[in-house]
Amino acid sequence: LGRMAAQSAAAQGLLAPGQSVEWCNPGMAGMVRVHCGERGYVGYTMEQDDITYPREIAIDRQQVEGATLFMDGWMAVELGPNFQLRPTAYTMRNGGATVAACMTGWLLEGAQSIEGPWHTLDIKGCVENKIPMEQHQCLAFLEPAIETPWDEWPHHTVTFPIVEGQKVEIAGESFPTPGHNNCGFRVFRVRLLQNRMPDSTNLYLQGFELYGDLFVPEQS
């Protein structure tokens, strides 16, 4: 979608002569919608508190200085009508400014509507900071944050695979396991399970991309 957004910008004459862009933010280009809770997408830097950001910044490749977070603990990306994506991997960038703000547990879910129902595509960690952490939590963002120099923001980027998944039979009923199950989805949601701060609902995220097989509606 990022490449399609760049092509669309070129077709509309929004690029300067000779300018070539391989990717641009599909949210800014109006090709997807970004949803979140009522408290929005906010952040702070060393110089300024209480910054309100456009939600589309969360799916950009450009890093933002300071902390960025969804205060209600979730965000969702909605593709355009009739678009479907069978996801095979996703990338997230840590939006926290400290070790304590790192995500250690989350759900990635897919649906056909922002209202659901939701299918679990991937799950990392769990609710509550159970120990030993290496057995119960995802340390993908925490471990590099611990090694980050104090004068740098720990905005590390990690890519995670999405397995195919399968269906299992329990008491005569069929249930899907986490994975794409060879299905396409139109809406994708990241939902916080846990960060390093007890009772916090903040999803510290700045940078989210999905990869897979995109099914594009035919142009009439």
Side-chain angles (χ1 to χ4, degrees):
L1 283 173
R3 295 190 187 96
M4 291 178 63
Q7 293 169 359
S8 175
Q12 297 177 56
L14 301 179
L15 300 182
Q19 182 182 9
S20 176
V21 178
E22 295 183 355
W23 187 94
C24 70
N25 187 319
M28 295 296 190
M31 299 191 69
V32 305
R33 293 181 63 188
V34 179
H35 301 266
C36 67
E38 294 181 355
R39 291 187 290 173
Y41 189 47
V42 301
Y44 60 87
T45 66
M46 296 293 290
E47 294 79 24
Q48 185 177 358
D49 294 329
D50 301 323
I51 305 171
T52 299
Y53 290 106
R55 290 169 290 183
E56 293 78 14
I57 292 294
I59 60 172
D60 204 274
R61 290 182 175 179
Q62 182 67 41
Q63 291 192 32
V64 178
E65 181 181 0
T68 54
L69 57 131
F70 290 97
M71 295 185 68
D72 291 308
W74 67 274
M75 62 85 69
V77 177
E78 179 182 4
L79 308 185
N82 301 319
F83 279 82
Q84 295 282 306
L85 177 69
R86 184 182 68 174
T88 56
Y90 65 104
T91 290
M92 297 200 300
R93 184 168 63 249
N94 176 33
T98 65
V99 171
C102 290
M103 298 177 288
T104 57
W106 64 87
L107 282 171
L108 174 64
E109 302 168 303
Q112 294 299 332
S113 165
I114 191 63
E115 305 297 331
W118 297 95
H119 167 72
T120 299
L121 297 168
D122 192 33
I123 181 170
K124 293 287 188 286
C126 64
V127 178
E128 299 181 359
N129 282 311
K130 298 181 179 180
I131 54 176
M133 288 194 63
E134 60 271 15
Q135 295 182 17
H136 299 285
Q137 302 295 329
C138 178
L139 307 184
F141 297 110
L142 178 62
E143 289 181 336
I146 293 174
E147 301 298 326
T148 300
W150 68 269
D151 56 347
E152 297 179 12
W153 301 105
H155 294 163
H156 303 95
T157 300
V158 183
T159 298
F160 304 92
I162 298 174
V163 300
E164 181 175 332
Q166 59 183 331
K167 290 187 177 181
V168 296
E169 296 288 333
I170 301 176
E173 295 189 50
S174 180
F175 298 91
T177 63
H180 59 68
N181 297 117
N182 281 319
C183 295
F185 300 89
R186 198 176 71 84
V187 188
F188 299 87
R189 180 173 69 178
V190 179
R191 184 158 56 91
L192 178 73
L193 294 180
Q194 189 65 52
N195 59 38
R196 291 294 295 133
M197 295 181 288
D199 303 319
S200 170
T201 62
N202 295 336
L203 173 65
Y204 289 92
L205 175 66
Q206 59 157 266
F208 175 71
E209 289 190 40
L210 287 156
Y211 315 103
D213 301 313
L214 180 66
F215 301 90
V216 181
E218 293 184 3
Q219 299 295 323
S220 59

